[in-house]
Amino acid sequence: MLIHRTRRNRTSPFLRDLVRENHLRVEDFILPVFIMEGSEKQEIPSMPGVYRHGLDQLSGFLDEAMKLGIRAVAPFPAIDEALKNSRGTESTNSDGLYLRAIRTIKEKYPELIVFSDVALDPYSSDGHDGIVSSTGEILNDETLEILGEMAIAQAQAGADFVAPSDMMDGRVEFLRDALDGEGFTGTGILSYCAKYASSFYGPFRDALQSAPKSGDKKTYQMDPANVREALREYELDFQEGADMVMVKPGLPYLDVVRALAEVSDVPVAVYNVSGEYAMLKAAANAGWLDYRSVVLESLLGMKRAGANIILSYHAMEVARWLQD
Ligand code: PBG
């Protein structure tokens, strides 16, 4: 006779619930929110169901998110092209869209955790995350100065965590020093630690009109072929004072999530990026996949890989489904 019958533990829904190893909870999610000026909302063509929200009508969207139990947001600004320049100076304009947005969110919902984005690309006329030299090089140390100013301005506006998504070397330590120097010792840092030079960011760049005007991001974002290097990035970011680290993208990089989860002393987040959202949405809209089940299966896979936190455009839908 067979001694081991693994199917015994799968015989009924109650039993499957009992032995389930991983779960999705609404508290696991950070909701990315695209923000623009005005009172309209515009659907992003490559991300059906995701909108750029005019700041004047953002509160309706936040009300809904709060009602569904969302507790953390990551706003990203769609900046008017006319306000962009090579140094991204609009990023520290206290009357500018982004800092106003952070203040608006924190005024309305002080308890909602705001993860603000630190990188030049939304404000850069070059569409790069750092300053571009006359020869096309992305300047590391010069960029750090601006990132430091951005982080301070965002902390002043009320951000709970600053999240550097730029991949400049040494930026976690630089931001920590900058924040501490201004008294923001309680402002945390979520580091985009292992951020790959991925083609899955296409729809996000559509949303912000932030694609690089020339070249690519391969001299600062990681080579998709590497995992050992991700551990090195983790080690540096942890030593430099990161409070949380993130792997990005998600689905094609679950081995990286696992590798970091095994060694990390701080929570590990994963960014289920725009292209991952677009893939499932497109397949579902074509009638080729069952949307709800593939979304939940994908996100559960991220938890199983070891992620504690998931940044996902699906967060609102999932929150709704978890209430059903
Ligand atoms: C840039 C940034 C990108 C994303 C978040 N921050 C794109 C890029 O690096 O070019 C992508 C997120 C997504 O695709 O959902 N700082």
Side-chain angles (χ1 to χ4, degrees):
M1 285 297 277
L2 274 175
I3 295 172
H4 295 287
R5 290 184 184 271
T6 52
R7 291 181 54 192
R8 274 187 214 115
N9 285 353
R10 297 178 201 140
T11 43
S12 74
F14 280 8
L15 190 52
R16 291 195 292 275
D17 285 349
L18 187 68
V19 301
R20 183 159 301 126
E21 296 174 40
N22 291 284
H23 302 269
L24 286 173
R25 311 173 313 153
V26 64
E27 297 93 321
D28 299 329
F29 287 90
I30 301 175
L31 172 69
V33 185
F34 296 119
I35 294 169
M36 62 177 190
E37 293 286 2
S39 51
E40 316 269 285
K41 69 176 200 179
Q42 287 171 352
E43 192 166 32
I44 295 147
S46 48
M47 302 179 78
V50 176
Y51 297 82
R52 290 185 206 99
H53 294 273
L55 185 52
D56 303 339
Q57 58 89 58
L58 182 64
S59 70
F61 182 66
L62 292 181
D63 291 343
E64 195 188 343
M66 288 297 282
K67 240 178 256 142
L68 288 169
I70 298 283
R71 296 165 177 206
V73 292
F76 292 98
I79 303 289
D80 189 339
E81 200 62 35
L83 297 173
K84 298 184 183 181
N85 61 33
S86 60
R87 299 181 64 84
T89 49
E90 180 64 11
S91 62
T92 51
N93 173 5
S94 69
D95 295 324
L97 172 65
Y98 198 52
L99 297 173
R100 258 188 295 127
I102 295 171
R103 288 196 297 268
T104 305
I105 297 169
K106 289 303 285 189
E107 264 160 36
K108 178 109 204 271
Y109 289 114
E111 69 278 32
L112 188 61
I113 310 166
V114 172
F115 289 83
S116 61
D117 183 54
V118 177
L120 256 57
D121 55 300
Y123 320 90
S124 158
S125 46
D126 299 308
H128 275 286
D129 294 28
I131 301 172
V132 186
S133 79
S134 53
T135 56
E137 196 190 328
I138 311 301
L139 301 173
N140 196 86
D141 300 12
E142 291 80 347
T143 298
L144 293 183
E145 300 289 338
I146 300 179
L147 299 180
E149 288 167 26
M150 281 177 73
I152 292 166
Q154 293 171 357
Q156 256 156 6
D160 299 277
F161 280 76
V162 296
S165 63
D166 56 289
M167 289 302 275
M168 296 302 113
D169 286 331
R171 88 271 210 221
V172 173
E173 184 176 8
F174 197 93
L175 296 188
R176 187 70 274 153
D177 284 349
L179 290 168
D180 291 351
E182 293 296 318
F184 294 108
T185 53
T187 306
I189 300 179
L190 163 65
S191 157
Y192 285 63
C193 166
K195 175 169 176 179
Y196 288 87
S198 169
S199 297
F200 284 98
Y201 306 151
F204 176 97
R205 293 175 187 173
D206 291 345
L208 300 191
Q209 315 264 276
S210 64
K213 301 276 161 44
S214 71
D216 54 41
K217 299 193 174 185
K218 291 179 184 169
T219 66
Y220 47 109
Q221 299 181 348
M222 284 178 57
D223 183 338
N226 296 350
V227 63
R228 185 189 293 132
E229 192 182 345
L231 293 167
R232 186 174 182 217
E233 291 284 0
Y234 159 75
E235 198 57 47
L236 290 168
D237 286 0
F238 177 68
Q239 297 300 340
E240 290 179 28
D243 299 286
M244 303 174 181
V245 292
M246 185 149 69
V247 174
K248 176 182 175 189
L251 273 188
Y253 296 87
L254 294 185
D255 59 319
V256 183
V257 173
R258 166 55 49 198
L260 258 56
E262 276 170 11
V263 300
S264 182
D265 289 307
V266 293
V268 175
V270 63
Y271 200 146
N272 172 225
V273 300
S274 57
E276 298 172 57
Y277 176 92
M279 283 197 296
L280 298 191
K281 216 27 150 205
N285 286 347
W288 298 336
L289 285 174
D290 176 54
Y291 186 65
R292 178 168 165 160
S293 38
V294 291
V295 169
L296 292 172
E297 186 178 332
S298 303
L299 297 169
L300 189 58
M302 294 175 201
K303 290 291 297 279
R304 193 188 61 244
N308 306 110
I309 300 165
I310 306 175
L311 246 100
S312 177
Y313 304 96
H314 299 295
M316 291 276 266
E317 300 164 324
V318 172
R320 222 170 276 127
W321 297 332
L322 291 175
Q323 283 189 345
D324 291 351

